[in-house]
Amino acid sequence: MAISFTIQHIPDLKKGKGHSLPVAHDQPYGTYNMDDICTQACARSTLSPADVKAALDSFAWVIQNHRCSVLMRYCIYDIEDD
């Protein structure tokens, strides 16, 4: 599956006002709900849907409590408190 990108321009802080840099942003294929994720994860493992949900819940808890960014393959998740 190919990855699609759009080009956006952000201000170039080194050159000052009026200058910009092109930056590539990936275009998502869509969204997945928890049941979709569990179905896909369970299909390729011996985990039950409850196991997958518990692992994802724990993952989100760790990321939120440590306020960190996580790089996972092609996606960057940045979790911050609102």
Side-chain angles (χ1 to χ4, degrees), residues 4-25:
S4 299
F5 292 94
T6 60
I7 302 298
Q8 297 179 354
H9 294 274
I10 61 170
D12 186 346
L13 300 177
K14 291 182 180 179
K15 292 185 179 178
K17 191 173 184 176
H19 296 282
S20 64
L21 294 170
V23 178
H25 288 272

Side-chain angles (χ1 to χ4, degrees), residues 11 23-24 28 30-31 33-36 40 43 45 54 59-62 64 73 76-77 79:
V23 178
T31 58
N33 64 31
M34 183 63 78
D35 291 333
D36 295 332
Q40 290 186 17
S45 69
F59 176 75
W61 179 85
V62 168
Q64 186 173 14
R73 213 168 195 181
I76 297 178
Y77 300 95
I79 309 297

Side-chain angles (χ1 to χ4, degrees), residues 5-75:
F5 292 94
T6 60
I7 302 298
Q8 297 179 354
H9 294 274
I10 61 170
D12 186 346
L13 300 177
K14 291 182 180 179
K15 292 185 179 178
K17 191 173 184 176
H19 296 282
S20 64
L21 294 170
V23 178
H25 288 272
D26 63 323
Q27 293 179 324
Y29 295 111
T31 58
Y32 289 95
N33 64 31
M34 183 63 78
D35 291 333
D36 295 332
I37 294 169
C38 289
T39 299
Q40 290 186 17
C42 292
R44 53 177 290 156
S45 69
T46 60
L47 298 172
S48 71
D51 293 334
V52 174
K53 287 179 184 178
L56 291 173
D57 180 60
S58 294
F59 176 75
W61 179 85
V62 168
I63 299 304
Q64 186 173 14
N65 285 321
H66 293 285
R67 299 186 62 132
C68 60
S69 296
V70 177
L71 175 62
M72 293 178 58
R73 213 168 195 181
Y74 299 114
C75 300

